[in-house]
């Protein structure tokens, strides 16, 4: 688009913006281009302070409905291309967020590489992909964007043509034209299988090639081969909390497709190695192990008689192809020419590859055994196994309670389990867990819910037998509030053979409590102390070596507001550490973060480093959701950057010495207690204590319209109620972002900062305490993206004008207090003064977001007034998509 040099110094944005303008002119016509350009220019001038809001309104009013749709697509595509350009320039990359920098930093503190290596021996870092519906873009749009990124790399290298002979710049323009002509919105709702395939595309195209290459870099950094400590996970196909569409077949499909995906990758890699390793016995000696593999392969081709490595790999390929057939029920895409027995497990496959590597290592100083393709394949097998990504199961504790009650009643054990108190429940469950007798009977009649839960557990047991225990290791219990909530999971696992009574007992899958609300987080240490007090539980945990606890950012924020959520999560983590230490069990925290700050979003590097001392211990899992997956793992380069940031932050959080003195820790903690109480009171009073707030929220924001976006398989609410308590955190945060309020990311903080009497202490905390600094930094980003002027327009959608004025007045006042308090605590003259790159990025987007907001408001007015032109509904959904794309982390 025109005049971009005046508002950005990023040459990629100028280049891509010009191409987009050319495409709009060519495919939409000069008149459309001129109208879009007039709106863009008016909005840019207003944000420079030399134009009026009225000019933008007038230009928008001149658009027909068809032009409105084209305009919205144009602004959305510019935001998408701007995101791509900034990612390429490293705007999101953080200083020092790589493993080598972390090692150097630790070395300066007297922590040597041997200590780092020792930590990594028992470490686990796991980004866990979830299907939480915050990704508004179709995969087709993301694919075109990624192709542009690949072409831009060729342009960076000074290449004029692609390997296929196309002109590079023309190829980029062609991809932008394809974007312009690609349908933005999904016409059908997503199914679980769609979500599975989307996740598999990232695991196949990004994680499989990126992680082995990263490990090569980390091996060099440490001067030794490190364990495969970073491994991906997934919830997709196993997370049925509130999603009735995740059933036993969903679990089977997710696991089968993952197995098929990783085996095809291995088959291709082995085939490529067979072509490469043309070593002849005429020129090299061969180890006994390699010769044995060659002789056992059945490869009798005369042409390869002197090529033992190729013969050995032919045999390995044949066995791997047989494994593909055995595990997936399908022949390998490239059939083997030899017969072979399936591998019993991935360790057997790895052992054959290690034999090849050792044979090469013995040759002439081992030059051929460098960390090349064979080394990367061995690393992939260690990291991904035959399952690709560990799949978590998740269900709500209330469902388990009902199912267990149904089973106990059907078995004649207890007529009304749900009427028992906690002590009686624990006693009953322990008795049943100690008995080898099953509860399920083929003659009993069970509720549909019970049958569905038993079916998915049966599928999990089948998966363990087929793919190995690494395919499912964790069973997350949502809304866990008691020991019985976890014992119920053990009882259900016992019914399918995944919990075995005995001395000691054995649980093949770990029950993981998810503490979500502020009250649950406060109770978490006592629940876990009571859990470990059960001898059989403590024995299982010690045998496993660790116990996981999941802490929820989204629901704790919706329950108590941003500051209280942040503090409660930190305080719960700190209080859990001695409970685990006393039990002699390593603690593994699973952080349920979303993309938006209101759901725990923001810099993962800063967030991990801000964890309380002693709570990371080299083990951490973090959810990656919605638009965050494409943003962080859309390309191999961005994936490598973000995975390495996660790894380096974990090392620092685990090994760095405590920076705060005990005195500062005590006074900062006391200050946060005061701030949290104040923020909590302000937030709860507005959201849950103000009559009419629910109606105000539902009319001011596009929450009703968001439900029309087909971006996930899961319903927006856990029940049919329209109460905020029952609304999922994702649409709660998403709708406030669309209205440019971003309320979950700051409300209550302003009151807390304003009423706190010691401004010098706040400044000291902002400067010296990573937790407080990270909290303010995330809030600062949210406030910078919010706009109370635009939000006031959304407040105009509320029918009760008196209530709207009162409630929005409170919101505006709290926003100002949060803005001013943040600047005072950080000592900045304006927002993001200490982060000029992010400041420039947000300022670039604002002129493109505001017209979208104004259009969205007018279209919502027309739709709510009863206009039924389908282009109005389409325009609303397009504007939601475009605003989310521009804001980047809105869900």
């Amino acid at each position: 688009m025109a005049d971009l040099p005046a508002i950005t110094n990023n040459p990629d944005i100028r280049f891509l913006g010009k191409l987009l303008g050319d495409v709009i002119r060519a495919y939409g016509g000069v008149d459309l281009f001129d109208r879009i350009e007039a709106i863009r220019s008016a909005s840019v001038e207003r944000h420079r302070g030399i134009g009026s809001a009225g000019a933008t309104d007038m230009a928008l009013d001149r658009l027909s409905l068809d032009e409105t749709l084209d305009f919205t697509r144009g602004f959305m595509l510019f935001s998408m291309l701007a995101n791509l350009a900034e990612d390429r320039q490293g705007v999101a990359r953080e200083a020092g967020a790589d493993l080598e920098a972390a090692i150097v930093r630790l070395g300066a503190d007297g922590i040597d590489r041997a200590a780092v290596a020792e930590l990594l021996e028992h470490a686990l870092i796991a980004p866990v992909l979830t299907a939480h519906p915050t990704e508004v873009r179709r995969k087709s749009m993301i694919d075109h964007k990624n192709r542009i990124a690949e072409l831009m790399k060729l342009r960076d290298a000074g290449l004029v043509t692609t390997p296929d002979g196309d002109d590079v710049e023309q190829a980029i323009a062609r991809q932008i034209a394809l974007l312009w002509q690609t349908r933005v919105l999904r016409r059908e709702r997503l199914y679980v299988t769609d979500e599975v395939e989307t996740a598999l595309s990232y695991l196949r195209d990004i994680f499989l090639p990126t992680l082995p290459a990263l490990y090569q870099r980390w091996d060099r950094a440490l001067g030794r081969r490190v364990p495969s400590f970073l491994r991906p996970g997934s919830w997709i196909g196993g997370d049925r909390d509130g999603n009735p569409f995740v059933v036993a077949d969903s679990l089977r499909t997710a696991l089968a497709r993952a197995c098929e995906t990783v085996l095809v990758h291995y088959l291709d890699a082995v085939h490529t190695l067979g072509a490469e390793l043309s070593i002849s016995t005429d020129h090299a000696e061969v180890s006994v192990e390699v010769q044995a593999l060659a002789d056992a392969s059945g490869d009798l081709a005369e042409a390869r008689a002197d090529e033992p490595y190729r013969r050995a790999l032919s045999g390995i390929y044949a066995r791997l192809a047989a494994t593909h057939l055995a595990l997936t029920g399908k022949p390998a895409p490239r059939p083997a020419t030899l017969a072979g027995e399936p591998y019993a497990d991935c360790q057997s496959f790895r052992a054959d590859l290690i034999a090849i590597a050792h044979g090469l290592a013995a040759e002439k100083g081992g030059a051929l055994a460098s960390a090349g393709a064979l080394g990367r394949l061995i690393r992939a097998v260690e990291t991904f196994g035959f399952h690709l990504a560990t799949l978590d199961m998740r269900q709500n504790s209330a469902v388990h309670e009902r199912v267990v009650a149904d089973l106990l009643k059907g078995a004649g054990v207890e007529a009304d389990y749900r009427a028992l108190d906690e002590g009686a429940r624990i006693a009953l469950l322990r008795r049943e867990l100690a008995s080898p007798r099953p509860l399920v009977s083929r003659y009993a009649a069970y509720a549909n819910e019970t049958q569905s839960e038993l079916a998915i557990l049966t599928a999990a047991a089948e998966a363990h037998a087929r793919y190995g225990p690494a395919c499912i290791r964790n069973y997350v219990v949502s809304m866990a509030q008691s020991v019985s909530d976890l014992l119920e999971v053990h009882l259900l696992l016992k019914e399918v053979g995944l919990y075995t009574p005995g001395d000691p007992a054995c649980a093949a899958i770990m029950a993981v409590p998810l503490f979500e609300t502020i009250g649950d987080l406060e109770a978490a240490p006592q629940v876990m102390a009571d859990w470990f007090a059960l001898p059989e539980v403590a024995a299982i945990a010690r045998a496993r070596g660790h116990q996981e606890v999941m802490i929820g950012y989204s629901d704790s924020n919706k329950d108590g507001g941003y500051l209280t959520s942040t503090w409660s999560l930190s305080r719960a983590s700190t209080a859990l550490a001695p409970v685990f230490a006393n039990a002699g069990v390593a603690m593994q925290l699973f952080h349920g973060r979303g993309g938006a700050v209101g759901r725990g979003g923001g810099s993962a590097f800063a967030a991990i480093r801000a964890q309380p001392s002693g709570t990371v211990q080299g083990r951490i899992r973090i959810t990656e959701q919605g638009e965050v997956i494409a943003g962080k793992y859309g390309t191999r380069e961005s994936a490598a950057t973000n995975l390495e940031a996660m790894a380096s932050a974990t090392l620092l959080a685990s090994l760095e010495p405590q920076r705060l003195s005990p005195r500062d820790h005590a006074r900062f903690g006391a200050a946060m207690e005061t701030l949290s109480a104040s923020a909590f009171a302000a937030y709860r009073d507005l959201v849950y204590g103000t009559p009419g707030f629910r109606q105000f929220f539902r009319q001011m924001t596009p929450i009703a319209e968001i439900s029309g976006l087909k971006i996930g398989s899961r319903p927006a609410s856990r029940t049919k109620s329209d109460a905020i308590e029952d609304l999922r955190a994702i649409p709660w945060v998403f709708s406030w972002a669309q209205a440019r309020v971003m309320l979950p990311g700051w409300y209550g903080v302003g009151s807390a900062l304003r009423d706190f009497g010691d401004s010098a202490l706040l400044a000291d905390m902002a400067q010296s305490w990573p937790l407080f600094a990270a909290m303010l930094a995330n809030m600062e980003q949210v406030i910078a993206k919010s706009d109370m002027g635009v939000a006031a327009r959304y407040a105009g959608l509320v029918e009760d004008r008196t209530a709207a004025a009162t409630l929005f007045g409170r919101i505006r006042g709290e926003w100002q207090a949060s803005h001013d308090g943040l600047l005072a605590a950080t000592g900045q003259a304006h927002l993001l003064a200490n982060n000029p790159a992010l400041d420039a990025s947000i300022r670039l987007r604002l002129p493109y977001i505001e017209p979208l907001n104004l259009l969205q408001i007018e279209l919502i007015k027309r739709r709510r007034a009863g206009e039924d032109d389908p282009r109005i509904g389409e325009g609303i959904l397009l504007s939601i998509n475009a605003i989310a794309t521009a804001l980047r982390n809105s869900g």
Side-chain angles (χ1 to χ4, degrees):
M1 296 185 180
D3 301 331
L4 280 171
I7 58 172
T8 179
N9 292 320
N10 188 316
D12 287 351
I13 295 179
R14 294 198 299 271
F15 171 69
L16 294 171
K18 178 184 180 302
L19 290 183
L20 176 60
D22 293 342
V23 165
I24 293 173
R25 189 186 290 107
Y27 289 86
V30 175
D31 287 346
L32 174 64
F33 174 83
D34 289 343
R35 288 182 186 276
I36 291 177
E37 181 58 24
I39 296 167
R40 192 197 68 79
S41 298
S43 186
V44 168
E45 288 181 359
R46 192 187 82 75
H47 279 268
R48 289 175 177 161
I50 57 176
S52 65
T56 305
D57 287 335
M58 290 177 61
L60 290 169
D61 289 342
R62 297 191 187 102
L63 295 176
S64 68
L65 275 176
D66 287 334
E67 289 173 333
T68 294
L69 300 181
D70 287 337
F71 161 78
T72 305
R73 286 195 300 125
F75 268 37
M76 183 209 67
L77 291 181
F78 173 75
S79 296
M80 179 182 287
L81 295 172
N83 294 346
L84 182 156
E86 290 185 345
D87 290 343
R88 282 170 37 77
Q89 296 296 324
V91 170
R93 187 172 292 128
E94 297 167 270
D98 61 88
L99 205 73
E100 182 62 46
I103 292 170
V104 171
R105 186 183 182 98
L106 290 170
D109 290 320
I111 300 162
D112 61 16
R113 291 169 192 257
V116 173
E118 183 181 353
L119 177 79
L120 294 180
E121 286 296 327
H122 59 82
L124 172 68
I125 302 171
V128 180
L129 308 185
T130 80
H132 287 51
T134 60
E135 175 56 86
V136 294
R137 297 167 299 175
R138 290 178 64 211
K139 186 66 165 56
S140 297
M141 303 289 288
I142 297 171
D143 289 342
H144 285 306
K145 184 207 77 169
N146 289 341
R147 291 188 192 108
I148 294 171
E150 292 298 318
L151 290 165
M152 290 293 285
K153 285 197 296 184
L154 298 180
R155 184 173 179 264
D156 293 342
L159 299 178
V160 177
T161 59
T162 70
D164 296 325
D166 295 332
D167 180 89
V168 169
E169 295 197 357
Q170 288 179 8
I172 295 170
R174 187 158 49 249
Q175 288 298 320
I176 294 175
L178 286 169
L179 274 173
W180 176 255
Q181 296 185 95
T182 297
R183 174 169 43 84
V184 174
L185 300 173
R186 298 183 182 94
R187 288 181 176 165
E188 303 294 333
R189 75 173 180 85
L190 281 177
Y191 294 90
V192 177
T193 50
D194 299 318
E195 295 167 338
V196 167
E197 290 302 322
T198 297
L200 284 177
S201 71
Y202 288 103
L203 291 165
R204 178 190 64 238
D205 301 335
I206 305 298
F207 282 85
L208 268 170
T210 300
L211 267 175
L214 267 179
Y215 278 118
Q216 287 184 326
R217 183 193 306 171
W218 296 340
D219 289 346
R220 291 192 295 269
L222 271 170
R224 66 182 74 190
R225 193 175 192 277
V226 302
S228 297
F229 63 89
L230 198 157
R231 301 189 292 274
S234 175
W235 273 13
I236 305 170
D239 174 18
R240 59 202 190 280
D241 178 19
N243 190 342
F245 305 110
V246 176
V247 293
D249 282 346
S250 305
L251 187 78
R252 291 190 180 97
T253 297
L255 291 167
R257 287 289 295 118
C259 176
E260 182 180 359
T261 297
V262 77
L263 287 178
V264 168
H265 177 82
Y266 296 157
L267 285 163
D268 288 343
V270 171
H271 178 76
T272 301
L273 279 171
E276 179 183 344
L277 295 182
S278 56
I279 299 169
S280 170
T281 52
D282 291 347
H283 305 292
E285 296 181 2
V286 61
S287 69
V288 172
E289 292 79 9
V290 172
Q291 189 63 54
L293 286 173
D295 293 342
S297 70
D299 186 353
L300 303 178
E302 188 66 29
R304 290 186 292 276
D306 66 328
E307 296 174 339
Y309 286 95
R310 278 183 167 168
R311 292 171 56 218
L313 286 163
S314 293
I316 291 171
Y317 187 93
R319 294 195 66 186
L320 199 57
T323 306
H324 186 284
L325 179 62
L327 294 184
T328 70
K330 304 175 184 178
R334 184 190 292 111
T337 57
L338 305 174
E341 287 294 318
Y343 282 109
D345 49 43
C346 65
Q347 289 78 20
S348 302
F349 173 43
R350 176 184 177 275
D352 283 354
L353 296 175
I354 291 293
I356 299 288
H358 286 172
L360 293 170
E363 275 294 315
K364 307 301 181 187
L368 294 177
S370 61
L374 177 60
R376 289 191 295 273
L377 176 57
I378 292 170
R379 179 65 79 173
V381 176
E382 293 174 357
T383 305
F384 302 103
F386 284 166
H387 61 283
L388 183 58
T390 298
L391 182 66
D392 288 0
M393 301 175 73
R394 183 171 78 134
Q395 183 56 285
N396 196 287
S397 61
V399 174
H400 300 143
E401 181 184 89
R402 292 192 296 268
V403 170
V404 166
D406 197 16
L407 293 178
L408 291 170
K409 182 178 181 181
V413 174
E414 173 55 55
D416 192 357
Y417 169 77
R418 299 176 72 187
L420 300 179
D421 62 24
E422 176 67 4
R425 287 187 181 191
I426 291 174
L428 172 57
L429 292 169
R430 292 182 71 194
R431 285 197 302 272
E432 288 299 319
L433 284 167
S435 168
R437 171 184 52 80
L439 292 172
V440 177
S441 168
R442 71 178 65 182
Y443 304 109
Y446 298 116
N448 290 337
E449 181 179 59
T450 301
Q451 295 179 50
S452 178
E453 291 299 303
L454 290 174
I456 202 166
L457 286 161
T458 299
E462 294 169 355
H464 264 227
R466 180 179 290 265
Y467 308 113
C471 69
I472 304 174
R473 292 195 180 279
N474 309 299
Y475 191 127
V476 179
V477 184
S478 299
M479 293 297 173
Q481 298 175 328
S482 64
V483 167
S484 65
D485 289 338
L486 302 179
L487 288 175
E488 286 164 3
V489 171
H490 278 180
L491 188 65
L492 295 174
L493 292 172
K494 173 174 169 280
E495 289 301 308
V496 295
L498 292 173
Y499 179 98
T500 308
D503 187 16
C506 176
I509 294 177
M510 174 170 50
V512 177
L514 167 51
F515 299 111
E516 302 181 76
T517 67
I518 301 300
D520 291 346
L521 288 167
E522 291 174 348
Q526 188 59 55
V527 171
M528 295 311 297
D530 294 342
W531 178 241
F532 289 134
L534 303 180
E536 64 273 31
V537 165
I540 290 170
R542 291 191 190 105
R544 185 192 303 118
H546 67 278
Q547 167 69 47
E548 181 169 281
V549 169
M550 185 173 185
I551 49 179
Y553 289 65
S554 303
D555 283 293
S556 61
N557 180 291
K558 188 164 72 73
D559 183 36
Y562 176 55
L563 192 152
T564 299
S565 171
T566 301
W567 179 232
S568 296
L569 290 160
S570 177
R571 189 172 54 182
S573 301
T574 301
L576 282 166
V579 172
F580 278 72
N582 290 337
V585 176
M587 180 170 72
Q588 179 172 296
L589 289 180
F590 186 8
H591 297 260
R593 289 161 46 95
V597 168
R599 295 184 52 243
S603 164
F605 181 72
I608 295 172
R609 292 198 64 198
Q611 293 305 304
S613 178
T615 64
V616 178
Q617 303 172 6
R619 304 188 69 90
I620 190 168
R621 297 205 305 149
I622 300 176
T623 53
E624 303 285 30
Q625 307 178 4
E627 80 280 6
V628 170
I629 295 175
K632 293 174 69 171
Y633 307 113
T635 66
R636 295 180 188 180
E637 290 78 8
S638 62
T641 296
N642 285 288
L643 291 170
E644 185 150 32
M646 190 181 296
S648 59
T650 302
L651 287 187
L652 292 171
S654 302
L655 295 174
E656 266 192 311
Q658 175 64 261
R659 304 292 182 188
L660 287 182
S661 67
R663 176 179 176 275
D664 282 345
H665 193 275
R667 67 191 186 105
F668 290 173
M672 275 295 277
E673 285 290 339
T674 301
L675 291 167
S676 176
S678 178
F680 180 80
Y683 176 85
R684 293 287 302 187
D685 182 59
L686 175 75
V687 175
Y688 298 106
T690 302
F693 181 81
R694 179 176 60 186
Q695 292 79 6
F696 168 82
F697 159 68
R698 290 191 172 274
Q699 291 180 14
M700 177 183 171
T701 73
I703 179 67
E705 289 74 17
I706 285 170
S707 63
L709 278 174
K710 297 174 176 65
I711 59 176
S713 66
R714 197 169 68 164
S717 291
R718 288 188 168 91
T719 70
K720 294 181 179 180
S721 164
D722 68 347
I724 291 173
E725 290 89 339
D726 295 323
L727 182 68
R728 289 191 178 277
I730 290 170
W732 165 254
V733 172
F734 196 97
S735 54
W736 283 118
Q738 287 285 313
R740 300 292 299 286
V741 181
M742 317 282 193
L743 182 143
W746 53 265
Y747 197 92
V749 182
S751 295
L753 295 176
R754 182 192 60 220
D755 296 342
F756 193 78
D758 192 339
S759 59
L761 177 55
L762 292 177
D764 195 6
M765 291 164 63
Q767 184 68 30
S768 307
W769 194 16
L771 173 71
F772 195 66
M775 186 197 79
L776 292 180
N778 289 335
M779 187 178 83
E780 184 176 14
Q781 177 189 149
V782 166
I783 292 178
K785 290 182 179 181
S786 62
D787 188 316
M788 288 299 106
V790 172
R793 301 275 196 113
Y794 280 92
L797 295 170
V798 179
E799 295 172 3
D800 187 335
R801 303 305 308 137
T802 301
T806 301
L807 286 170
F808 185 69
R810 288 176 63 183
I811 290 172
R812 189 198 292 268
E814 185 66 17
W815 181 92
Q816 193 64 53
S818 299
H819 172 278
D820 296 347
L822 186 148
L823 292 183
T826 58
Q828 298 177 106
H830 61 82
L831 291 175
L832 299 173
N834 294 335
N835 193 343
L838 181 58
D839 183 38
S841 171
I842 292 175
R843 288 180 182 275
L844 169 69
R845 281 165 174 70
L846 294 180
Y848 294 85
I849 303 175
E850 182 176 318
L852 294 168
N853 286 123
L854 300 180
L855 266 182
Q856 185 183 91
I857 291 165
E858 291 308 309
L859 292 171
I860 289 174
K861 281 182 182 177
R862 294 173 64 174
R863 181 167 183 171
R864 292 181 183 178
E867 292 192 43
D868 58 2
D869 190 312
R871 291 173 296 180
I872 293 175
E874 183 180 357
I876 293 171
L877 299 182
L878 275 173
S879 69
I880 292 171
N881 190 302
I883 292 167
T885 299
L887 291 173
R888 302 206 74 170
N889 51 352
S890 60

